[in-house]
Amino acid sequence: MSRNIAAPRGTRDLLPEETSAWSHVESVARDLARRYAFDRIEIPLFERVELFARGLGESSDAVEKEMFRVSGAQGSGEEAAPWALRPEPTAGIVRAFIEHGMHVRPGPLRLTLIGPMFRYDRPQAGRYRQFSQWDVEVIGDAGPAVDAELIELGHRFYAEVGLTDVVARINSIGDAECRPRYRQALVDHFAAHEDRLSLDSRRRLRINPLRVLDDKDLPPELAADAPRGMDHLCDACREHFDAIRALLDVLGVRYELDHRLVRGLDYYTRTAFEFYVAGREGQQQALGGGGRYDGLVELLGGRPAPGIGFGIGLDRTILAMEEQGVAPAPRGELVAVLGMGDDHDRRLQIAGTLRQAGLAVRPDGSSRKLGKQLESASKAGARWAVIIGDGDAMALKDLATGGQRDAVSIEEIAPIVSG
Ligand code: HAM
């Protein structure tokens, strides 16, 4: 006998008992996107490797270690072009913005999408090779008000899905003017202790010294007295960051300053933020993250335009909801329609009427004894059973309490069930 085929490592099937939490979280995201005036955009699941290499940076983990490459048909020319599944959507959205000349539209543009991302990483709890993000991007607004608005939006999302204790960690990593000085300060600090750095960090020290700060193997003493980005900001970046903090205070958003938060993608400038359940800080635990990318549009060939956005990891959000016991029950009120003998025409008609009234209805398709039908309705998670008797008679049974109302009319059922 041949061996069964399993899902690829780092991917998950979402079974029916899990998908209701997903639907709930996605609908909260969609509704917030509507209320915050974001328009939906969709981009391909794969793009040219070059887009990610240029946009996210050759030395980012997403490009250097985790690129999920796809090849087209065997052959040469365009068909053999190197593509990769998108590790994140920001680079693709900016590509679309440039490709469609969207800079001429009345801005700032507020764009959103929900969908799968792919990173060929070593799978572990909360880290998958295919995962989903809710992404929002604002292009054409230099802030700082929009920075605070987005951090507040992320914060509100977690509250609306029912999570408590989610805190935003924020930092400013400066811009083209002040970042070089900060980079140099980091190089000077860490080069003096190079022998205590991991191999990864020694390499990063040369290519992108900021990333040394988010190495989880960095000795705590070296991290503690490392130069802080905030001490190296130019006046314009400092004012920008101070203004965001003042706005977050006014909005009542809980945040903490995190000098080591530098983000893993190279396109960031100035504002960087991540969301965590308090006490669960650490790279693998970020529920979401984002920041400003004022140089990305130009880097990808467009006219200079500032940008900011975030990506919220839906998988990790749902894991946190399960841990906090706030994931919604699999299904709302389900109504089973049961009958006697072969009265399937009546069962389907009544099911149809109740569905038109908005109820979730599952007619029993068997001709088993009523007791058996009731048993399987309960097992299927039905809260109510409509029992069709002779003629027009109908009873409504509450399967949770066992209570029954005889001689109900079809019009009475929906209001009772909807409670
Ligand atoms: P990111 O921090 O790389 O940012 O990812 C955002 C979120 O996606 C993470 O905080 C995490 O919740 C989730 N995530 C990332 N990798 C995985 C994984 N392997 N398995 C499960 N969840 C994961 C970005 O992607 C940026 N594009 C965000 C952004 C938008 N910045 C500006 N605009």
Side-chain angles (χ1 to χ4, degrees):
M1 210 174 68
S2 61
R3 272 199 323 156
N4 291 342
I5 299 169
R9 226 160 85 76
T11 69
R12 294 173 310 148
D13 299 310
L14 297 176
L15 303 183
E17 57 273 23
E18 295 161 277
T19 46
S20 54
W22 280 82
S23 304
H24 172 63
V25 163
E26 285 168 9
S27 74
V28 169
R30 289 210 167 85
D31 190 53
L32 280 170
R34 181 188 63 78
R35 284 188 272 153
Y36 282 68
F38 282 85
D39 293 318
R40 180 173 169 187
I41 185 168
E42 289 296 336
I43 53 165
L45 296 192
F46 64 97
E47 301 264 4
R48 294 189 70 98
V49 168
E50 203 188 331
L51 172 73
F52 301 125
R54 257 211 273 165
L56 281 51
E58 296 273 9
S59 70
S60 65
D61 286 350
V63 170
E64 193 184 54
K65 301 181 185 162
E66 300 162 5
M67 202 49 97
F68 213 126
R69 287 172 183 269
V70 284
S71 60
Q74 302 300 318
S76 57
E78 182 61 19
E79 287 309 309
W83 294 294
L85 296 177
R86 61 185 188 192
E88 60 91 74
T90 312
I93 290 176
V94 169
R95 178 206 42 76
F97 173 84
I98 298 167
E99 188 168 335
H100 301 287
M102 290 170 81
H103 62 280
V104 300
R105 300 184 184 211
L109 289 185
R110 295 160 82 95
L111 305 167
T112 185
L113 69 74
I114 296 178
M117 310 297 154
F118 305 85
R119 296 184 192 178
Y120 197 78
D121 202 354
R122 201 160 37 82
Q124 52 181 265
R127 183 154 25 120
Y128 309 105
R129 288 181 173 165
Q130 177 176 335
F131 59 97
S132 282
Q133 278 186 5
W134 173 37
D135 180 85
V136 304
E137 309 290 352
V138 180
I139 305 180
D141 188 335
V146 70
D147 304 44
E149 189 189 2
L150 288 199
I151 295 169
E152 191 269 340
L153 168 58
H155 206 255
R156 184 171 300 271
F157 166 80
Y158 297 113
E160 291 204 2
V161 297
L163 283 174
T164 43
D165 279 342
V166 175
V167 23
R169 301 180 76 84
I170 65 170
N171 194 14
S172 175
I173 54 173
D175 65 4
E177 188 188 327
C178 51
R179 179 109 49 97
R181 270 182 283 148
Y182 181 44
R183 281 176 66 119
Q184 193 53 51
L186 286 170
V187 171
D188 294 345
H189 172 75
F190 288 123
H193 307 281
E194 197 165 338
D195 51 328
R196 294 164 68 198
L197 298 181
S198 67
L199 284 180
D200 246 4
S201 276
R202 284 183 215 181
R203 206 170 33 81
R204 283 175 176 167
L205 193 53
R206 273 166 204 93
I207 321 166
N208 187 352
L210 267 71
R211 295 290 316 286
V212 175
L213 287 171
D214 71 2
D215 181 348
K216 60 180 180 346
D217 297 325
L218 187 64
E221 355 38 278
L222 276 193
D225 56 357
R228 296 155 29 142
M230 271 171 251
D231 299 333
H232 292 78
L233 296 181
C234 57
D235 289 347
C237 286
R238 162 159 307 288
E239 275 165 31
H240 193 271
F241 193 53
D242 288 348
I244 295 169
R245 293 173 58 186
L247 288 165
L248 291 176
D249 289 337
V250 171
L251 294 172
V253 175
R254 193 168 150 201
Y255 72 87
E256 287 168 10
L257 294 179
D258 183 348
H259 303 289
R260 283 181 68 182
L261 197 157
V262 293
R263 308 281 297 136
L265 310 168
D266 290 1
Y267 51 60
Y268 290 109
T269 51
R270 291 190 164 175
T271 321
F273 54 92
E274 282 177 351
F275 297 98
Y276 291 91
V277 171
R280 304 285 305 268
E281 290 87 353
Q283 259 306 300
Q284 295 322 319
Q285 304 292 349
L287 296 178
R292 186 160 273 292
Y293 48 87
D294 292 345
L296 183 60
V297 178
E298 190 177 7
L299 181 73
L300 294 178
R303 289 194 202 175
I308 182 169
F310 66 59
I312 281 179
L314 299 185
D315 305 74
R316 290 187 194 167
T317 300
I318 288 164
L319 282 176
M321 287 165 68
E322 283 163 2
E323 276 175 25
Q324 292 193 3
V326 296
R331 204 191 279 111
E333 306 284 51
L334 177 67
V335 181
V337 177
L338 319 179
M340 316 271 182
D342 284 327
D343 59 351
H344 296 292
D345 49 352
R346 293 271 291 136
R347 294 188 211 178
L348 291 178
Q349 277 171 337
I350 287 166
T353 309
L354 295 176
R355 285 170 179 148
Q356 274 191 327
L359 302 180
V361 187
R362 182 175 165 132
D364 189 305
S366 78
S367 304
R368 294 172 296 175
K369 292 215 170 73
L370 195 58
K372 288 277 176 219
Q373 292 183 45
L374 279 167
E375 213 176 282
S376 61
S378 290
K379 280 191 189 150
R383 163 74 200 276
W384 304 91
V386 173
I387 303 164
I388 304 169
D390 290 333
D392 282 342
M394 250 185 303
L396 180 66
K397 192 174 176 71
D398 182 338
L399 297 174
T401 64
Q404 181 164 326
R405 265 182 69 166
D406 292 319
V408 285
S409 71
I410 189 125
E411 292 77 25
E412 286 171 302
I413 292 173
I416 299 173
V417 167
S418 313

